[in-house]
Amino acid sequence: MQNAIMWLEDFHFDGLRLDAIHEIIDRGARHLLKEMSQKVDEMEEKTSRRFVLIAESDLNDTKVVNSYEKGDLDWKGSG
C-alpha cells in the first residue's frame, strides 16, 4: 500500500494500473483494493488533484468497478 501511494505522492504520477487483481488474495477485514481506492480518494480531497486507478481482471466482475455504497470490493479474494 505504501509503495503504491508513494508513486502518487512523491513521484507525482497521475494514476496506477493494477494487473491481474483476480489473483490478489486478501482475507483482511478490508480488502487491499478497497483500502487503496479509499486512500486515493482521500489524497484527491487533500491535494485537489485527480488520480486514476485501473484494475485488470480476467473475471469481468462488476464488483471491481461498482461504488462502495453497493458494498462492492468487499470480497475476500479468489482461491
Side-chain angles (χ1 to χ4, degrees):
M1 180 68 59
Q2 292 173 340
N3 184 270
I5 298 303
M6 176 198 69
W7 288 104
L8 302 174
E9 283 185 328
D10 298 340
F11 295 103
H12 307 286
F13 277 41
D14 293 327
L16 300 170
R17 176 186 160 91
L18 309 165
D19 290 332
I21 64 163
H22 59 278
E23 294 296 331
I24 296 175
I25 299 171
D26 183 345
R27 301 196 193 305
R30 182 171 52 160
H31 195 277
L32 169 79
L33 297 176
K34 183 172 186 174
E35 182 179 357
M36 183 180 300
S37 180
Q38 290 173 327
K39 284 188 182 287
V40 169
D41 288 348
E42 291 169 11
M43 285 180 56
E44 285 183 333
E45 287 182 31
K46 183 175 99 176
T47 64
S48 298
R49 290 180 55 206
R50 180 85 168 112
F51 299 101
V52 176
L53 294 178
I54 299 171
E56 179 267 326
S57 173
D58 284 352
L59 300 179
N60 296 319
D61 196 336
T62 59
K63 69 183 165 191
V64 175
V65 295
N66 285 343
S67 67
Y68 304 138
E69 292 78 24
K70 286 188 161 190
D72 290 333
L73 276 179
D74 285 334
W75 81 106
K76 297 300 181 186
S78 61

